[in-house]
Amino acid sequence: MQPLLQVRNLRKSYGSLEVLHGISIDIAPGEVVAIIGASGSGKSTFLRCLNLLETPTSGELCFDGKPVEYGEEGWGWRREKQLQWLRSQIGMVFQSFNLWPHKTVIENIIEAPMIVKNVPRYEAVAEAEDLLRRIGLAEKRDAFPSRLSGGQQQRVAIIRSLAMKPKLMLFDEVTSSLDPQLVGEVLNLMASLAAEGMTMLAVTHEMSFARSVSTRTIFFDGGVIAEEGPSHVVLNHPRQARTQRFLSRTLPVIGPAVTVAEIQSGQARVAQDLSAGA
Amino acid sequence: MQSVFASLPGFLYATWLTIEIAVLVILLSWGFGLVAALGKRSRIAILRVPCDLYIWFVRGTPAMIQIFAVYFGLPQFGISMSPFVAGVITLSLNSGAYVAEIIRGGLMAIPKGQYESPIALGLSHAQSFRRIILPQVARIILPAITNEAVATLKNTSLLSVITVVELTFHAQIVIAKTFQPFQFYILAALIYLLLTTLLTRASALLEARNAVRS
């Protein structure tokens, strides 16, 4: 199968400091990839290069079979058009939610489909309401983001991205700024997306997510991919010494806010819904 | 007291002119301010340096000198304007420099994520700025921009020195006829007070509405 995303020898420098030393990877459609690693290892920068929030210094990007000509950082109408095309197909969810405080929940969701894809308002609203129902927040339709809990805000941020019907979703530490008891609802939503076949790349500190939802885990260290492979292999039987060191430091500290069983039951529920033809 | 009542129609007309000038100047100053604020944030030196110089020069020199320089100075180079036009342009450029700094402050107060999330969804930079950033900036700067508008309204009295018959100049004309400076300066002051009060009240109402809508 043709990979959805191909990355070849991606490098990123800030001044004389290179933070990504040539990353190459293929992501197949439907893959759920967890990206783990210590802070400063370049994993967030890598994710932000994929939708060109950061402009790579060099390297090739190919999305959906088309090479991305990201060019030089700066202005240019043609460059912006190309990047808009790319970004309208790659959703991104941030650690800090970034809902727009001056717009209601529904306005947040319909903004991009209406403005970027020229979807008629009634259609965008209907789709947004469907998405809200799905995450159980239909009654928050006209609330402003400040009235929502962190977990609710993050779930709205996720469906705001989904409203663009992206082919790939990027998650940048989306549970890191949540209270522990709110992490589960967000992870469950991500698990249900994974179960539906959404292609996902998630920078995460949630080992439970990496373990039970992701099909592949990539370990970043010092700006390179130090180890990658099927999640159960990388997380349970890491080959590299530095992966072992990282995992041994990480695992014991985890007080699992969401258990593997919870995520799996979430997945099972969604799978049932799907097979029921919902 | 009778002379005060007799003079009211004239004052009404002068008040109207003051309002006209103030509204024009305030709107234009927002335009100049926005352009200068964006220019000053630009990475491109050809845009940034002129905006920097503009803000630096205008804020560092007295408004009165600026008005004299434009109205009396520019005709030396063949650029003559009516007192009204010269006054409106000069006051707008003057206030614009202050507005630029207010807007710049507002832009800096918006978290980085608010700039990134619309871009990540595929909006263009212009769309993101107009639809996501600017409305938030407007709320943040409302108190400061109201302050500046009040100052601008009062600064219209400076145009009396270049013969614009606004409120202050009109008062002086009436005083010259009636020799009642106290009454008429107080009358002018009360009218200014009424206008600035309307402005601050309107701003307070907007602020209250925004507090509900967030």
Side-chain angles (χ1 to χ4, degrees):
Chain A
M1 195 170 4
Q2 189 196 20
L4 180 63
L5 181 71
Q6 279 179 295
V7 184
R8 287 291 172 274
N9 204 19
L10 185 85
R11 289 173 183 275
K12 174 68 182 174
S13 308
Y14 296 103
S16 60
L17 178 72
E18 189 172 79
V19 291
L20 292 177
H21 308 297
I23 308 290
S24 298
I25 196 160
D26 283 358
I27 309 290
E31 262 198 295
V32 179
V33 180
I35 302 175
I36 60 172
S39 52
S41 60
K43 55 194 196 304
S44 276
T45 305
F46 170 67
L47 204 67
R48 293 163 56 81
C49 280
L50 299 181
N51 68 347
L52 280 308
L53 279 185
E54 302 285 348
T55 304
T57 311
S58 68
E60 286 159 40
L61 278 175
C62 197
F63 181 74
D64 210 11
K66 297 181 197 69
V68 178
E69 287 155 22
Y70 53 82
E72 294 278 307
E73 202 163 337
W75 290 356
W77 185 77
R78 283 188 60 163
R79 178 179 190 268
E80 178 153 49
K81 280 286 155 210
Q82 158 124 34
L83 296 193
Q84 277 187 270
W85 165 81
L86 182 75
R87 288 167 182 151
S88 67
Q89 302 185 64
I90 300 181
M92 185 171 206
V93 186
F94 301 86
Q95 179 178 349
S96 51
F97 327 144
N98 297 342
L99 293 181
W100 306 315
H102 63 299
K103 289 181 180 289
T104 61
V105 164
I106 193 103
E107 287 168 347
N108 263 277
I109 302 170
I110 64 176
E111 175 79 12
M114 281 176 60
I115 300 299
V116 180
K117 294 169 104 181
N118 294 316
V119 175
R121 189 183 185 91
Y122 67 93
E123 212 176 299
V125 168
E127 279 169 20
E129 285 171 339
D130 282 346
L131 287 166
L132 278 171
R133 263 194 297 279
R134 170 182 168 172
I135 60 169
L137 291 178
E139 82 282 6
K140 300 288 186 191
R141 185 186 185 282
D142 297 312
F144 284 92
S146 58
R147 302 276 173 237
L148 272 55
S149 73
Q152 290 172 332
Q153 287 190 47
Q154 192 60 296
R155 286 185 290 144
V156 170
I158 291 173
I159 63 167
R160 179 173 71 174
S161 282
L162 292 180
M164 288 295 282
K165 303 196 170 70
K167 293 182 177 143
L168 170 66
M169 285 287 284
L170 308 175
F171 295 88
D172 192 4
E173 297 190 28
V174 295
T175 55
S176 297
S177 60
L178 291 173
D179 290 345
Q181 80 274 16
L182 301 177
V183 169
E185 60 192 68
V186 172
L187 290 185
N188 278 334
L189 176 56
M190 290 168 70
S192 78
L193 282 179
E196 282 172 26
M198 174 62 79
T199 314
M200 297 163 55
L201 255 77
V203 168
T204 187
H205 294 299
E206 298 293 339
M207 291 304 147
S208 55
F209 174 85
R211 208 170 274 276
S212 57
V213 181
S214 71
T215 49
R216 182 146 60 122
T217 293
I218 296 175
F219 172 61
F220 262 74
D221 190 48
V224 296
I225 294 178
E227 183 161 357
E228 63 132 341
S231 294
H232 61 93
V233 175
V234 174
L235 295 169
N236 297 332
H237 310 288
R239 280 166 295 145
Q240 304 282 337
R242 44 186 175 173
T243 317
Q244 288 162 7
R245 258 199 317 276
F246 174 77
L247 289 173
S248 69
R249 275 196 308 250
T250 313
L251 288 175
V253 229
I254 289 267
V258 62
T259 63
V260 175
E262 274 169 3
I263 290 181
Q264 280 165 344
S265 78
Q267 271 180 309
R269 266 203 313 279
V270 174
Q272 271 169 15
D273 291 351
L274 287 176
S275 61
Chain B
M1 217 44 206
Q2 202 143 24
S3 57
V4 171
F5 285 118
S7 70
L8 275 182
F11 265 94
L12 219 55
Y13 184 79
T15 304
W16 178 242
L17 189 61
T18 293
I19 293 172
E20 261 183 69
I21 294 169
V23 168
L24 270 175
V25 168
I26 289 167
L27 292 179
L28 284 172
S29 72
W30 292 351
F32 289 133
L34 185 58
V35 170
L38 291 177
K40 199 169 169 175
R41 276 167 71 90
S42 174
R43 275 176 299 184
I44 303 162
I46 322 160
L47 298 174
R48 189 182 59 244
V49 173
C51 295
D52 243 339
L53 288 176
Y54 157 64
I55 295 169
W56 169 71
F57 180 82
V58 168
R59 286 203 306 172
T61 54
M64 186 81 99
I65 300 280
Q66 293 164 11
I67 292 166
F68 283 146
V70 169
Y71 182 64
F72 295 117
L74 287 186
Q76 273 181 265
F77 307 99
I79 308 168
S80 303
M81 286 173 276
S82 71
F84 180 88
V85 172
V88 166
I89 290 177
T90 313
L91 283 183
S92 307
L93 284 170
N94 179 275
S95 177
Y98 296 90
V99 171
E101 289 296 284
I102 293 171
I103 292 178
R104 217 165 58 81
L107 288 170
M108 285 193 288
I110 306 286
K112 188 164 164 257
Q114 293 290 320
Y115 289 92
E116 287 183 341
S117 55
I119 295 297
L121 281 161
L123 273 72
S124 69
H125 281 87
Q127 288 166 338
S128 303
F129 185 74
R130 193 164 46 79
R131 302 186 57 92
I132 307 301
I133 302 302
L134 210 49
Q136 295 185 55
V137 169
R139 284 166 184 226
I140 294 173
I141 66 174
L142 183 60
I145 211 95
T146 304
N147 210 24
E148 178 57 25
V150 167
T152 298
L153 179 74
K154 292 183 294 182
N155 273 346
T156 58
S157 71
L158 291 174
L159 300 192
S160 60
V161 299
I162 55 167
T163 73
V164 177
V165 191
E166 43 64 67
L167 201 44
T168 302
F169 195 41
H170 180 75
Q172 286 171 337
I173 293 170
V174 173
I175 288 163
K177 285 185 202 152
T178 59
F179 301 107
Q180 293 178 323
F182 184 78
Q183 287 90 324
F184 287 107
Y185 278 133
I186 290 294
L187 177 63
L190 288 177
I191 295 173
Y192 279 117
L193 187 62
L194 174 72
L195 295 180
T196 53
T197 305
L198 288 175
L199 217 88
T200 49
R201 284 302 304 154
S203 161
L205 285 174
L206 260 179
E207 211 172 311
R209 210 196 94 210
N210 287 343
V212 176
R213 287 180 48 86
S214 69

